[in-house]
Amino acid sequence: MQVTFIQTSDALFYYPMLLETSKTVREFCIRNGISYQQFVGTKRGHMPWHSTYNRIYMLKEMLDRGYEGWVFYMDADAYIVDLDFDLRAYLSDKGQYGGIFAGYINNVIHDINAGGFAVNLSHPAGKGLVIDYFNAVEAIADADFDRSIYWDGEIRNDQHLLMVILEDYARTIDLASTFLFERTNQSHVNNGPFIRQHLRTMHADFATRVGSISDDVATVMNGATPHFADGPGIYIPASHPRVLAGVGDKGPFGIVSRGEVGGLIYGPYMRLAAGDYIVRIYGETGDSKRYKITSDVCAARGERAFSRSKTVLPARMKGVLAEHHVSLDEDVDDLEVRLFDQGSVDLRVHAVQLMKVSGATPHLA
């Protein structure tokens, strides 16, 4: 199972807003080793507001690719206010739901704010919802869609389409046991302790709204350390099939330890040209007092060691778990990066990165 956050906007007016709010979403995703996707433009239609339907097409595309896991959708005016929110704990007991919504507007369970919601594409109800949402927008005739000028009134807007589907579900299924409806303004998928949204009705004009969002985002991001200033190099997420799990399990937040002693990750057995490199292992620690790890960079299944180190990590840290400076005198065909765990609980690896030394700045002394 995976977790992905998605956002979208038109390329003209809401894009500057998206640039601001996405700072917080990207930061949260980087810290937690989860995916982020963004689309700018319109997938159907001509008007800038037609981009509000992008979410439907993005969800359907993910479903068609065989994506399994949670997808959190956030409008361009929504941002993450709590970068330390424990999303793993929040989702740990939500697997029985096909989606999560901020509902109960006007005290009606399926009267929702569609500016932020989550869909579980590992659940039949979540998959069915996306299919029905897609079929609903596709049922709008091209001529009507193309001729529409106003967001509200000429064709069914994105929010109305979703509400009608949920209203129809309410007649045929036990809605509350199939989908989770949190109270509006107390939700974890829209306005609440985790995510905030600046609605049009909250501001006098568009410029004030953008400025207020920018100020709030700056407050949230205050003190956040820039990531990946050196560029991507060769960045391999732990979800990659060539990053292998030993005494750990692959999940939506990386490879997590099982409390056993041994190799937590190994691989990717890749070809790397001769040269000088910085090799980093990204991840996070849990609540234990300290985490003892050993890591190395090697070839020939460990017979050729280029660098090896032992590290004691503190609790609740996120970022670089280990860093190696490696010099290769010749090309290597089976380079491997390994991390050995001493029985830690909730040690997670998010990714492995290899950077050419030229221009790369060490993250660890």
Side-chain angles (χ1 to χ4, degrees), residues 55-64 130-131 134:
R55 73 196 74 182
I56 306 173
Y57 292 96
M58 294 173 73
L59 288 168
K60 182 59 163 55
E61 289 162 3
M62 296 178 75
L63 179 64
D64 290 345
V130 169
I131 292 171
F134 175 77

Side-chain angles (χ1 to χ4, degrees), residues 8 42 60 249:
T8 183
T42 53
K60 182 59 163 55
D249 300 301

Side-chain angles (χ1 to χ4, degrees), residues 117-175:
F117 57 87
V119 178
N120 184 359
L121 291 185
S122 297
H123 193 289
K127 295 177 181 180
L129 176 70
V130 169
I131 292 171
D132 289 340
Y133 205 7
F134 175 77
N135 288 339
V137 71
E138 285 292 284
I140 301 173
D142 287 340
D144 293 337
F145 201 102
D146 292 342
R147 287 175 56 82
S148 63
I149 291 178
Y150 295 104
W151 174 77
D152 195 15
E154 294 185 304
I155 60 175
R156 286 182 171 180
N157 62 55
D158 56 285
Q159 175 149 318
H160 185 64
L161 288 174
L162 185 55
M163 287 177 58
V164 167
I165 292 169
L166 294 173
E167 185 177 15
D168 184 59
Y169 286 177
R171 300 189 187 99
T172 58
I173 64 174
D174 183 359
L175 197 64

